[in-house]
mmCIF file of all heavy atoms in Angstrom:
data_model
loop_
_atom_site.group_PDB
_atom_site.id
_atom_site.type_symbol
_atom_site.label_atom_id
_atom_site.label_comp_id
_atom_site.label_asym_id
_atom_site.label_seq_id
_atom_site.Cartn_x
_atom_site.Cartn_y
_atom_site.Cartn_z
ATOM 1 N N PRO P 811 -82.941 -181.766 39.344
ATOM 2 C CA PRO P 811 -82.020 -182.138 38.253
ATOM 3 C C PRO P 811 -81.307 -180.902 37.702
ATOM 4 O O PRO P 811 -81.716 -179.764 37.918
ATOM 5 C CB PRO P 811 -82.951 -182.771 37.218
ATOM 6 C CG PRO P 811 -84.287 -182.155 37.484
ATOM 7 C CD PRO P 811 -84.368 -181.936 38.966
ATOM 8 N N GLY P 812 -80.239 -181.183 36.973
ATOM 9 C CA GLY P 812 -79.486 -180.103 36.351
ATOM 10 C C GLY P 812 -80.311 -179.370 35.307
ATOM 11 O O GLY P 812 -81.281 -179.894 34.759
ATOM 12 N N GLY P 813 -79.924 -178.156 35.055
ATOM 13 C CA GLY P 813 -80.665 -177.349 34.099
ATOM 14 C C GLY P 813 -79.940 -176.056 33.814
ATOM 15 O O GLY P 813 -78.729 -175.932 33.997
ATOM 16 N N VAL P 814 -80.713 -175.080 33.377
ATOM 17 C CA VAL P 814 -80.180 -173.771 33.009
ATOM 18 C C VAL P 814 -81.017 -172.704 33.691
ATOM 19 O O VAL P 814 -82.252 -172.757 33.655
ATOM 20 C CB VAL P 814 -80.186 -173.555 31.484
ATOM 21 C CG1 VAL P 814 -79.702 -172.154 31.133
ATOM 22 C CG2 VAL P 814 -79.322 -174.595 30.788
ATOM 23 N N CYS P 815 -80.341 -171.742 34.322
ATOM 24 C CA CYS P 815 -81.026 -170.581 34.876
ATOM 25 C C CYS P 815 -80.417 -169.334 34.246
ATOM 26 O O CYS P 815 -79.533 -169.419 33.389
ATOM 27 C CB CYS P 815 -80.917 -170.552 36.400
ATOM 28 S SG CYS P 815 -79.230 -170.483 37.030
ATOM 29 N N VAL P 816 -80.882 -168.163 34.672
ATOM 30 C CA VAL P 816 -80.467 -166.903 34.056
ATOM 31 C C VAL P 816 -79.998 -165.965 35.149
ATOM 32 O O VAL P 816 -80.649 -165.831 36.195
ATOM 33 C CB VAL P 816 -81.629 -166.252 33.271
ATOM 34 C CG1 VAL P 816 -81.169 -164.964 32.598
ATOM 35 C CG2 VAL P 816 -82.176 -167.220 32.236
ATOM 36 N N SER P 817 -78.846 -165.305 34.920
ATOM 37 C CA SER P 817 -78.344 -164.343 35.888
ATOM 38 C C SER P 817 -79.122 -163.033 35.787
ATOM 39 O O SER P 817 -79.943 -162.848 34.883
ATOM 40 C CB SER P 817 -76.849 -164.086 35.652
ATOM 41 O OG SER P 817 -76.657 -163.317 34.479
ATOM 42 N N SER P 818 -78.854 -162.116 36.701
ATOM 43 C CA SER P 818 -79.534 -160.826 36.666
ATOM 44 C C SER P 818 -79.163 -160.005 35.446
ATOM 45 O O SER P 818 -79.866 -159.069 35.073
ATOM 46 C CB SER P 818 -79.206 -160.029 37.936
ATOM 47 O OG SER P 818 -77.816 -159.746 37.991
ATOM 48 N N MET P 819 -78.038 -160.353 34.799
ATOM 49 C CA MET P 819 -77.611 -159.676 33.582
ATOM 50 C C MET P 819 -78.133 -160.343 32.320
ATOM 51 O O MET P 819 -77.802 -159.940 31.208
ATOM 52 C CB MET P 819 -76.077 -159.620 33.518
ATOM 53 C CG MET P 819 -75.439 -158.816 34.620
ATOM 54 S SD MET P 819 -75.760 -157.047 34.486
ATOM 55 C CE MET P 819 -77.051 -156.863 35.713
ATOM 56 N N GLY P 820 -78.946 -161.412 32.482
ATOM 57 C CA GLY P 820 -79.528 -162.081 31.327
ATOM 58 C C GLY P 820 -78.671 -163.181 30.737
ATOM 59 O O GLY P 820 -79.016 -163.733 29.694
ATOM 60 N N ARG P 821 -77.564 -163.524 31.377
ATOM 61 C CA ARG P 821 -76.691 -164.566 30.839
ATOM 62 C C ARG P 821 -77.141 -165.940 31.325
ATOM 63 O O ARG P 821 -77.433 -166.118 32.513
ATOM 64 C CB ARG P 821 -75.244 -164.325 31.246
ATOM 65 C CG ARG P 821 -74.596 -163.158 30.547
ATOM 66 C CD ARG P 821 -73.102 -163.349 30.442
ATOM 67 N NE ARG P 821 -72.431 -163.261 31.721
ATOM 68 C CZ ARG P 821 -71.146 -163.554 31.910
ATOM 69 N NH1 ARG P 821 -70.417 -163.987 30.899
ATOM 70 N NH2 ARG P 821 -70.594 -163.436 33.097
#
Side-chain angles (χ1 to χ4, degrees):
V814 177
C815 60
V816 182
S817 72
S818 63
M819 296 291 102
R821 288 208 291 171

